[in-house]
Amino acid sequence: MAVTLRLMRFGKKGNPFYRIVAIDRRKKRDTKYIESIGIYNPMLEPLSLKIKKDRFDYWKKNGAVISDGLVKLLKSGKPTFIKKD
């Protein structure tokens, strides 16, 4: 199964927030996902980008492709990596 890490949109019109999810590459944006690994809220000042580091590394190590939008966010926004306790 080809897995990709990408954004899934939630919220209402004019007030979006996104989950960062691991999902089968062939599925549409808002379908069932494998695992949620973080959140992104563009409406907060400063931007809120939180990612579970261990799960992100796991999926990346196992060949998951990171979407273009998520790559831009990781470069421009300062992500907060959440470590497992």
Side-chain angles (χ1 to χ4, degrees):
M1 172 174 30
V3 176
T4 186
L5 300 177
R6 64 179 168 193
L7 299 170
M8 180 181 273
R9 189 181 196 279
F10 286 89
K12 58 185 179 179
K13 185 176 175 182
N15 191 16
F17 73 92
Y18 300 87
R19 284 186 188 161
I20 301 167
V21 297
I23 191 169
D24 185 351
R25 184 179 311 178
R26 297 165 290 191
K27 297 207 179 212
K28 294 186 179 182
R29 181 190 72 184
D30 293 332
T31 59
K32 188 172 181 179
Y33 54 88
I34 301 168
E35 180 181 11
S36 176
I37 63 168
I39 59 170
Y40 167 58
N41 191 344
M43 302 307 288
L44 294 178
E45 198 57 45
L47 301 177
S48 174
L49 179 59
K50 297 179 184 177
I51 301 173
K52 297 176 190 172
K53 175 115 174 93
D54 58 334
R55 299 311 296 165
F56 181 81
D57 292 340
Y58 169 80
W59 285 110
K60 192 172 173 186
K61 182 179 86 175
N62 286 314
V65 177
I66 302 172
S67 70
D68 294 337
L70 188 53
V71 168
K72 287 180 186 177
L73 272 178
L74 293 173
K75 287 182 180 177
S76 66
K78 304 285 191 248
T80 302
F81 287 103
I82 303 168
K83 295 183 180 177
K84 187 176 180 180
D85 293 335

